Structures are given as C-alpha cells and as structure tokens.
Amino acid sequence: MAAFQIRKIQSIIVFIIVLIAVLWLFQDNIAKISVFQKNIQQFDTIKEEMKDVSYLEKIDNFLIKEYSKEQLLLHTLEADTYYSYKNSPVELLNIKLTTYDEVGKEKVVLTSNRAEILKSGDIFLKDEINIQSKNGVLHEINTESLIVLSNSGQIISNSEVAYLGENAIINAQGMEMSNKDDTMFLAGDVIIEQDIGGVIESRNLFITHADGEKLYQSKERTVYRSKDSTINADMGVDLDMNENLMKLLGKVEVLNSSGSKMDSYNLIVDQSNGGEVYKSNDPTHYQTKTSDIRAKRMHYDANTKKVELTGGVLGVYE
C-alpha cells in the first residue's frame, strides 16, 4: 500500500516538472499570442474611431437649394446627416429630394436611405427609393443606384430594378422617368410576378398612372404563365391593374397542361373576382388530341376548364 502511494506521488511530481518545462519552452509564443490579441483589439478600436473622423465635414439636418441661371428653384435636398470626404463623393443619409416646375410648384419628391452628390451636381440615390409624382402617385423601387440629372431632372437607373406595383413585383434591368409626367419606363427584360401566382415575361414596360389609371404596357413579345397554361403573344401586353384585366396583343397561342391548344388574336385574360377567364372576339382555332375546331369567338374558364366556341363553328372529331 505504501509503495502504491509513493508511485502516485512520484507520478504527480513528474507531471508537474513536465508542465513547468513546457510552459518555459513556449513562454515566448504565449506572450506573442497575448500581444497579438491585444493588437487586434486595438486595431478594431482604431478602425471604429477612424470611421468617425475620416470625413472632412459632418452636418446634421442638412438642407440645400439649387437654382437655375435664371434664379428659378430647381430642387431642394434635405438629409438627416451630411458627410464630405477628401477623395470621395458627398454622402447623405435619409434624404428627401423635391423638384419644382417653372412656376415653383412641386413636381416629384424622392426619398431614399442613402445618396451621393457627384462633382457634376447629379445625385445618386441608393437602396430603397420612393418616387412620388406631382399627382400624388407613389412609385416604390428597390435598386442599387438611381441618378437624378441636375440639368434635366430626368430620373435614370442602369442597375437592376424591383418595382413594387399593384398586386405584383416587377423586375427590370433599368428604369427612366421624367419629372414632367406620371409615366415610368422599365427597360430591358421585364418579369412581372403577380400575387395570385402568374408570371408575365416581356420587355420595355411603360407604367402609366395618369388620371387615376394604373396601366402596364409593352409592345414586345410576351409570355404569360399561370398554373395550368402558357400563353404566347407576339405584339405585347396591356395590363389594367384597376380592373384586373390583361390583354395579350396580336397573334396568341394558348398551351394548356391538358395538352389542348388554342390559336387566336388579342386575347383578354380577366382576373377579376379571383377567377381567370380567357376571351377573344377574333377567329380561334382550338385543338385537342381528338378534336379540331374553328370558331369566330372563344370563352374559356381556366378554373373549370370549360371552353365555349361560338360563331361559325366548324369541327372535326376523331
């Protein structure tokens, strides 16, 4: 028993001696690690301090007015905070830009989270942007950047744009808007994602809100995809968001998931009252695996899958 205790004590003594030797050998590295961690903490602190002092000038509750050569008020620019830098554009936080017409009346009001003022005087708005026209129409946009040209008042973005529309989100490759009217142009490829699940793919979409209207219009080839149908139109689309009516223009091809096909012209898609009805008053060619029918008019309920062909109906059945 005594021999066992002696061996246990000897083991503890050996462990302590080895531990002391290891600490002695690596004491420099341990000290370096401690210093390195301290330096990192100091560097982070310095970085935070540099953020606060890197600007040349800071102004809270910033306001500036710009006038033309004829001393007409062009716009006012307000911001919660103004920062100026040595080699970078002026930065503004939480801004409001108001433009004016020739007689001093408000035309367009733009708000944004962030903005920059370039040496040219043009203003870059960033992130979430709201545009309110002179008629009170509000356009909500998410984009990387949008520029307001100081001379013409034109509003332009060459970045991808997400437009929050009526019962839909519209994605485009750019946008343009004049401060003289309520028309917005969404450039390039356009994808309209409807709240009800339909998707419209087109190009170069005009959004008009004049006189209370809410119209989306394109003259480019358009594809509409719903749960059970794909519709191709070769001359564009007119969307009336007030009435929930879509008109697919020109020659139209309707492909249903059941395998049936309809060829017609100027197809109306009625999405009011939660339904989806296709209507055309132009000649229609309806085809299934077992039938081939031609008629002067067509009415198709996409929910009930019921089709009505009227006027000069001529059919062939197998």
Side-chain angles (χ1 to χ4, degrees), residues 234-252:
D234 67 352
M235 295 184 65
V237 61
D238 285 352
L239 282 163
D240 186 332
M241 303 307 289
N242 284 337
E243 302 294 334
N244 289 318
L245 293 176
M246 170 169 43
K247 189 172 185 179
L248 293 157
L249 305 172
K251 185 178 179 180
V252 175

Side-chain angles (χ1 to χ4, degrees), residues 63-277:
L63 171 64
I64 189 173
K65 298 181 180 181
E66 183 174 350
Y67 293 85
S68 68
K69 294 179 180 179
E70 295 77 20
Q71 294 303 304
L72 295 175
L73 181 60
L74 297 176
H75 64 253
T76 60
L77 181 59
E78 304 171 62
D80 286 354
T81 312
Y82 163 103
Y83 293 99
S84 66
Y85 302 92
K86 185 176 181 180
N87 297 313
S88 300
V90 167
E91 184 179 13
L92 304 171
L93 302 181
N94 298 323
I95 73 108
K96 178 182 178 182
L97 175 65
T98 306
T99 64
Y100 297 88
D101 62 17
E102 295 78 4
V103 295
K105 291 185 178 180
E106 287 188 5
K107 289 194 293 187
V108 176
V109 178
L110 300 96
T111 58
S112 176
N113 299 337
R114 297 188 300 129
E116 293 179 351
I117 303 177
L118 307 183
K119 290 182 178 180
S120 62
D122 297 335
I123 303 169
F124 261 111
L125 282 71
K126 299 183 177 183
D127 300 334
E128 296 180 6
I129 301 167
N130 290 335
I131 303 174
Q132 185 167 345
S133 71
K134 61 182 179 181
N135 294 326
V137 176
L138 181 65
H139 302 280
E140 296 182 65
I141 295 173
N142 289 335
T143 184
E144 182 179 339
S145 63
L146 180 151
I147 188 170
V148 180
L149 301 179
S150 59
N151 294 333
S152 64
Q154 194 79 0
I155 303 167
I156 298 173
S157 176
N158 293 320
S159 303
E160 292 187 357
V161 172
Y163 179 90
L164 308 182
E166 295 292 327
N167 304 318
I169 296 177
I170 308 174
N171 297 287
Q173 295 176 302
M175 64 81 64
E176 295 180 15
M177 182 177 179
S178 171
N179 59 16
K180 297 179 181 179
D181 57 40
D182 289 326
T183 300
M184 178 177 290
F185 174 62
L186 296 178
D189 294 335
V190 174
I191 299 177
I192 304 173
E193 300 177 357
Q194 296 180 305
D195 292 349
I196 59 175
V199 176
I200 303 164
E201 299 174 8
S202 191
R203 285 181 56 82
N204 301 329
L205 187 75
F206 288 89
I207 297 176
T208 304
H209 282 196
D211 301 322
E213 295 179 326
K214 296 177 182 177
L215 302 178
Y216 303 163
Q217 299 172 310
S218 172
K219 302 304 179 185
E220 305 276 353
R221 184 174 182 84
T222 299
V223 179
Y224 169 65
R225 306 180 197 278
S226 66
K227 180 181 178 181
D228 296 311
S229 302
T230 298
I231 305 176
N232 300 293
D234 67 352
M235 295 184 65
V237 61
D238 285 352
L239 282 163
D240 186 332
M241 303 307 289
N242 284 337
E243 302 294 334
N244 289 318
L245 293 176
M246 170 169 43
K247 189 172 185 179
L248 293 157
L249 305 172
K251 185 178 179 180
V252 175
E253 177 188 60
V254 182
L255 303 173
N256 292 318
S257 59
S258 63
S260 65
K261 174 184 174 183
M262 287 184 282
D263 294 309
S264 190
Y265 298 86
N266 300 323
L267 182 75
I268 294 175
V269 179
D270 187 345
Q271 296 176 321
S272 61
N273 302 317
E276 183 157 295
V277 176

